[in-house]
Amino acid sequence: DIQMTQSPSSLSASVGDRVTITCQASQDISKYLNWYQQKPGKAPKLLIYDASNLEKGVPSRFSGSGSGTHFTLTIISLQPEDIGTYYCQQYSTFGPGTKVEI
Amino acid sequence: EVQMVESGGGLVQPGGSLRLSCAASGFTFSTYWMSWVRQTPGKGLEWVANIKEDGSDKNYVDSVKGRFTISRDNTKNSVYLQMNSLRADDTAVYHCAREKLFTASALDSWGRGTLVTVSS
Protein backbone atom coordinates (compact mmCIF):
# COMPACT_ATOMS: atom_id res chain seq x y z
CA ASP A 1 0.00 0.00 0.00
CA ILE A 2 1.08 3.55 -0.74
CA GLN A 3 1.69 5.73 2.31
CA MET A 4 1.39 9.50 2.26
CA THR A 5 3.20 11.82 4.66
CA GLN A 6 2.79 15.55 5.04
CA SER A 7 4.96 18.22 6.57
CA PRO A 8 4.67 20.21 8.63
CA SER A 9 1.78 18.83 10.68
CA SER A 10 0.87 22.39 11.61
CA LEU A 11 2.08 25.89 10.94
CA SER A 12 1.35 29.44 11.98
CA ALA A 13 1.96 32.26 9.53
CA SER A 14 1.03 35.87 9.03
CA VAL A 15 -1.35 37.35 6.50
CA GLY A 16 0.56 37.87 3.26
CA ASP A 17 3.14 35.17 3.96
CA ARG A 18 4.10 32.53 1.44
CA VAL A 19 3.17 29.10 2.81
CA THR A 20 4.42 25.76 1.50
CA ILE A 21 3.09 22.34 2.48
CA THR A 22 4.84 19.17 1.40
CA CYS A 23 3.39 15.75 0.65
CA GLN A 24 5.59 12.68 0.16
CA ALA A 25 4.44 9.38 -1.33
CA SER A 26 6.08 6.08 -0.41
CA GLN A 27 6.37 5.15 -4.09
CA ASP A 28 6.13 6.81 -7.49
CA ILE A 29 2.57 8.04 -8.11
CA SER A 30 3.36 10.06 -11.24
CA LYS A 31 1.18 13.19 -11.22
CA TYR A 32 -1.79 11.60 -9.44
CA LEU A 33 -1.96 13.74 -6.34
CA ASN A 34 -4.81 15.95 -5.18
CA TRP A 35 -5.03 18.67 -2.50
CA TYR A 36 -7.99 19.59 -0.32
CA GLN A 37 -8.79 22.32 2.18
CA GLN A 38 -11.08 21.61 5.11
CA LYS A 39 -12.51 24.24 7.41
CA PRO A 40 -13.93 23.30 10.82
CA GLY A 41 -17.37 21.74 10.56
CA LYS A 42 -17.26 21.68 6.77
CA ALA A 43 -16.65 19.05 4.12
CA PRO A 44 -13.28 19.07 2.36
CA LYS A 45 -12.94 21.21 -0.75
CA LEU A 46 -10.85 20.22 -3.76
CA LEU A 47 -8.14 22.79 -4.49
CA ILE A 48 -5.67 21.11 -6.85
CA TYR A 49 -5.99 17.92 -8.91
CA ASP A 50 -3.36 15.92 -10.77
CA ALA A 51 -0.62 17.71 -8.84
CA SER A 52 -0.82 21.11 -10.52
CA ASN A 53 -4.29 21.80 -11.91
CA LEU A 54 -6.28 24.48 -10.13
CA GLU A 55 -9.89 23.48 -9.51
CA LYS A 56 -12.45 25.89 -10.95
CA GLY A 57 -13.30 28.70 -8.56
CA VAL A 58 -10.20 28.28 -6.39
CA PRO A 59 -8.18 31.50 -5.96
CA SER A 60 -5.01 31.73 -8.01
CA ARG A 61 -2.89 32.25 -4.88
CA PHE A 62 -3.04 28.46 -4.52
CA SER A 63 -0.72 26.36 -6.66
CA GLY A 64 0.56 22.81 -6.73
CA SER A 65 3.68 21.21 -8.10
CA GLY A 66 5.62 17.97 -8.10
CA SER A 67 5.61 14.50 -9.55
CA GLY A 68 6.79 11.05 -8.62
CA THR A 69 7.05 11.03 -4.84
CA HIS A 70 7.42 14.69 -3.83
CA PHE A 71 4.66 17.29 -4.08
CA THR A 72 4.05 20.78 -2.74
CA LEU A 73 1.05 23.03 -2.20
CA THR A 74 1.90 26.72 -2.10
CA ILE A 75 -0.21 29.65 -0.96
CA ILE A 76 1.64 32.67 -2.33
CA SER A 77 -0.04 35.23 -0.05
CA LEU A 78 -1.87 33.77 2.94
CA GLN A 79 -5.30 35.24 3.61
CA PRO A 80 -7.40 34.99 6.80
CA GLU A 81 -9.93 32.76 5.06
CA ASP A 82 -7.21 30.20 4.28
CA ILE A 83 -7.11 28.87 7.83
CA GLY A 84 -8.01 25.22 8.03
CA THR A 85 -6.50 21.81 7.50
CA TYR A 86 -4.96 20.78 4.18
CA TYR A 87 -4.84 17.19 2.98
CA CYS A 88 -3.11 15.51 0.08
CA GLN A 89 -4.67 12.43 -1.51
CA GLN A 90 -3.56 9.73 -3.87
CA TYR A 91 -6.52 7.60 -4.92
CA SER A 92 -7.50 5.70 -1.73
CA THR A 93 -4.95 7.26 0.62
CA PHE A 94 -5.09 10.63 2.32
CA GLY A 95 -2.19 12.30 4.03
CA PRO A 96 -2.50 13.07 7.76
CA GLY A 97 -3.16 16.76 7.20
CA THR A 98 -1.47 20.10 7.84
CA LYS A 99 -3.24 22.59 10.08
CA VAL A 100 -2.73 26.20 9.00
CA GLU A 101 -3.27 29.02 11.47
CA ILE A 102 -2.83 32.76 11.31
CA GLU B 1 -26.04 23.32 -8.22
CA VAL B 2 -24.25 20.08 -7.52
CA GLN B 3 -25.38 18.66 -4.19
CA MET B 4 -25.02 15.46 -2.19
CA VAL B 5 -27.10 14.82 0.93
CA GLU B 6 -26.29 11.87 3.17
CA SER B 7 -28.70 10.18 5.57
CA GLY B 8 -29.02 7.04 7.63
CA GLY B 9 -26.42 7.63 10.31
CA GLY B 10 -27.06 7.11 13.99
CA LEU B 11 -26.14 5.17 17.09
CA VAL B 12 -25.69 1.42 16.69
CA GLN B 13 -24.33 -1.29 18.93
CA PRO B 14 -21.15 -3.17 18.05
CA GLY B 15 -21.98 -5.96 15.63
CA GLY B 16 -24.99 -4.08 14.31
CA SER B 17 -25.83 -2.79 10.85
CA LEU B 18 -26.68 0.50 9.20
CA ARG B 19 -27.45 1.55 5.66
CA LEU B 20 -26.29 4.97 4.58
CA SER B 21 -27.86 6.77 1.64
CA CYS B 22 -26.61 9.67 -0.45
CA ALA B 23 -28.99 11.57 -2.69
CA ALA B 24 -27.28 13.46 -5.49
CA SER B 25 -28.63 16.29 -7.61
CA GLY B 26 -27.53 18.96 -10.04
CA PHE B 27 -25.51 16.73 -12.37
CA THR B 28 -25.81 13.61 -14.56
CA PHE B 29 -25.32 11.09 -11.77
CA SER B 30 -24.99 8.05 -14.04
CA THR B 31 -21.78 9.38 -15.61
CA TYR B 32 -19.72 9.64 -12.41
CA TRP B 33 -17.86 7.31 -10.12
CA MET B 34 -18.97 7.90 -6.53
CA SER B 35 -17.07 7.45 -3.28
CA TRP B 36 -17.64 7.21 0.44
CA VAL B 37 -15.03 8.85 2.70
CA ARG B 38 -15.12 8.87 6.49
CA GLN B 39 -13.62 11.13 9.10
CA THR B 40 -13.17 10.26 12.72
CA PRO B 41 -14.09 13.19 14.97
CA GLY B 42 -11.04 15.38 15.36
CA LYS B 43 -8.93 13.23 13.07
CA GLY B 44 -8.16 12.77 9.43
CA LEU B 45 -9.84 11.47 6.33
CA GLU B 46 -10.12 7.83 5.27
CA TRP B 47 -11.38 6.70 1.89
CA VAL B 48 -13.83 3.82 2.36
CA ALA B 49 -15.18 2.67 -1.01
CA ASN B 50 -16.05 3.70 -4.52
CA ILE B 51 -18.30 2.49 -7.32
CA LYS B 52 -18.18 2.84 -11.08
CA GLU B 53 -20.79 4.75 -13.06
CA ASP B 54 -22.81 1.63 -13.89
CA GLY B 55 -22.09 -0.22 -10.64
CA SER B 56 -19.97 -2.86 -12.36
CA ASP B 57 -16.77 -2.10 -10.43
CA LYS B 58 -16.43 -1.54 -6.70
CA ASN B 59 -13.40 -1.00 -4.48
CA TYR B 60 -12.98 -1.01 -0.70
CA VAL B 61 -10.39 -0.14 1.90
CA ASP B 62 -9.06 -3.32 3.50
CA SER B 63 -10.56 -2.57 6.92
CA VAL B 64 -14.14 -2.78 5.62
CA LYS B 65 -13.84 -5.56 3.04
CA GLY B 66 -16.41 -8.27 3.71
CA ARG B 67 -18.39 -6.01 6.05
CA PHE B 68 -19.43 -3.00 3.92
CA THR B 69 -21.13 -3.00 0.53
CA ILE B 70 -21.40 0.00 -1.77
CA SER B 71 -24.22 0.16 -4.32
CA ARG B 72 -26.06 2.68 -6.43
CA ASP B 73 -29.40 3.26 -8.11
CA ASN B 74 -29.01 5.53 -11.11
CA THR B 75 -32.78 5.81 -11.48
CA LYS B 76 -32.86 7.45 -8.04
CA ASN B 77 -29.56 9.36 -8.33
CA SER B 78 -28.44 7.67 -5.14
CA VAL B 79 -25.48 5.79 -3.75
CA TYR B 80 -25.62 3.58 -0.68
CA LEU B 81 -23.29 2.06 1.90
CA GLN B 82 -24.52 -1.05 3.68
CA MET B 83 -22.46 -1.48 6.84
CA ASN B 84 -22.57 -4.78 8.71
CA SER B 85 -20.63 -6.14 11.70
CA LEU B 86 -19.94 -2.61 12.84
CA ARG B 87 -17.07 -1.98 15.23
CA ALA B 88 -16.19 0.91 17.51
CA ASP B 89 -13.48 2.04 15.11
CA ASP B 90 -16.09 2.53 12.39
CA THR B 91 -17.37 5.53 14.36
CA ALA B 92 -17.01 8.53 12.04
CA VAL B 93 -18.74 11.09 9.89
CA TYR B 94 -19.39 9.45 6.53
CA HIS B 95 -19.31 11.66 3.44
CA CYS B 96 -20.29 10.74 -0.06
CA ALA B 97 -18.32 12.45 -2.79
CA ARG B 98 -18.27 12.68 -6.55
CA GLU B 99 -15.13 11.73 -8.47
CA LYS B 100 -14.07 14.39 -10.94
CA LEU B 101 -14.21 13.24 -14.55
CA PHE B 102 -10.94 12.32 -16.26
CA THR B 103 -8.92 12.43 -13.05
CA ALA B 104 -7.51 9.76 -10.77
CA SER B 105 -10.18 9.96 -8.08
CA ALA B 106 -10.10 13.67 -7.32
CA LEU B 107 -13.24 14.31 -5.27
CA ASP B 108 -14.75 17.53 -6.52
CA SER B 109 -18.05 17.65 -4.64
CA TRP B 110 -18.81 16.40 -1.14
CA GLY B 111 -21.84 16.05 1.05
CA ARG B 112 -21.82 17.37 4.59
CA GLY B 113 -21.83 13.86 5.97
CA THR B 114 -23.80 11.70 8.36
CA LEU B 115 -22.50 10.65 11.78
CA VAL B 116 -22.24 6.96 12.63
CA THR B 117 -21.58 6.11 16.26
CA VAL B 118 -20.84 2.51 17.21
CA SER B 119 -21.17 2.05 20.94
CA SER B 120 -22.89 -0.11 23.52
Side-chain angles (χ1 to χ4, degrees), chain B residues 15-16 32 38-39 44 56 60 76 79 88 93 104-105 109-110 116 120:
Chain B
Y32 287 84
R38 66 186 178 185
Q39 185 165 28
S56 63
Y60 302 90
K76 296 182 178 180
V79 60
V93 173
S105 300
S109 293
W110 296 62
V116 172
S120 55

Side-chain angles (χ1 to χ4, degrees), chain B residues 56-76:
Chain B
S56 63
D57 190 11
K58 306 172 186 181
N59 301 285
Y60 302 90
V61 67
D62 285 348
S63 61
V64 309
K65 282 180 182 176
R67 300 188 300 123
F68 290 12
T69 302
I70 189 171
S71 63
R72 66 191 294 160
D73 185 339
N74 288 344
T75 66
K76 296 182 178 180

Side-chain angles (χ1 to χ4, degrees), chain A:
Chain A
D1 291 356
I2 296 174
Q3 307 298 318
M4 309 298 292
T5 57
Q6 284 182 240
S7 61
S9 57
S10 66
L11 65 89
S12 180
S14 300
V15 172
D17 282 354
R18 181 185 184 96
V19 169
T20 299
I21 299 168
T22 296
C23 180
Q24 189 98 13
S26 60
Q27 62 190 74
D28 188 342
I29 59 172
S30 185
K31 65 175 183 176
Y32 301 116
L33 189 285
N34 309 308
W35 290 98
Y36 300 86
Q37 174 196 65
Q38 187 176 32
K39 298 185 178 183
K42 301 287 189 180
K45 173 187 175 183
L46 178 65
L47 299 176
I48 302 287
Y49 63 94
D50 292 348
S52 61
N53 295 288
L54 192 68
E55 175 68 352
K56 185 178 180 180
V58 174
S60 59
R61 63 180 179 272
F62 291 92
S63 66
S65 64
S67 66
T69 62
H70 188 84
F71 301 85
T72 58
L73 173 71
T74 300
I75 309 172
I76 58 173
S77 177
L78 188 68
Q79 299 301 303
E81 61 267 31
D82 298 336
I83 60 169
T85 302
Y86 291 78
Y87 296 93
C88 62
Q89 175 227 3
Q90 190 279 330
Y91 184 49
S92 60
T93 305
F94 286 89
T98 296
K99 187 174 184 179
V100 174
E101 298 174 317
I102 300 282

